Amino acid sequence: MLKFLQDNKVNDVSLDDCREIIAEFDSTQDGTLNYDEFLNIFLPAADYNLRNIEYYPDPRSSPFNIGGMPTSVPSMAARILDKENEFKNRRYDVRR
């Protein structure tokens, strides 16, 4: 996660920040993210319609979007993880 963020120009994040983000979404508390936990970061957990679009994309919607994911997924993912890091920092500040 850290390398991905740094590769996508999010440089003010540390390995500890990444571990805390993982811990926030790690429902099995095994220190890793399984596929469903990973999706919870990027897709609203309660929005099953959005998830169905991702799992079962309609190729008729666009011939360039067969897989369902937009071409800017890496930059969107980096922004989402950056925001999660900001939320983590805010939660930490409030707890202090």
Side-chain angles (χ1 to χ4, degrees):
M1 183 181 293
L2 179 62
K3 181 168 176 13
F4 171 79
L5 288 169
Q6 290 171 340
D7 288 350
N8 285 280
K9 311 298 186 245
V10 179
N11 296 316
D12 60 338
V13 65
S14 70
L15 186 57
D16 286 336
D17 293 331
C18 293
R19 287 182 180 133
E20 289 184 35
I21 292 169
I22 289 169
E24 182 75 25
F25 292 92
D26 182 12
S27 61
T28 57
Q29 297 181 346
D30 62 357
T32 64
L33 295 176
N34 63 35
Y35 186 67
D36 287 333
E37 293 165 341
F38 177 79
L39 286 181
N40 283 337
I41 296 174
F42 298 103
L43 297 176
D47 191 340
Y48 292 106
N49 291 324
L50 181 58
R51 287 210 175 175
N52 281 335
I53 289 169
E54 183 52 39
Y55 286 136
Y56 309 107
D58 184 357
R60 296 172 295 173
S61 63
S62 169
F64 303 106
N65 197 16
I66 301 285
M69 291 290 251
T71 57
S72 61
V73 167
S75 63
M76 285 189 327
R79 287 194 311 266
I80 290 169
L81 289 171
D82 189 30
K83 287 291 180 193
E84 283 300 326
N85 191 45
E86 288 178 22
F87 294 146
K88 175 200 63 74
N89 290 335
R90 286 185 200 156
R91 283 191 303 270
Y92 179 76
D93 289 342
V94 167
R95 289 177 187 150
R96 280 193 310 173

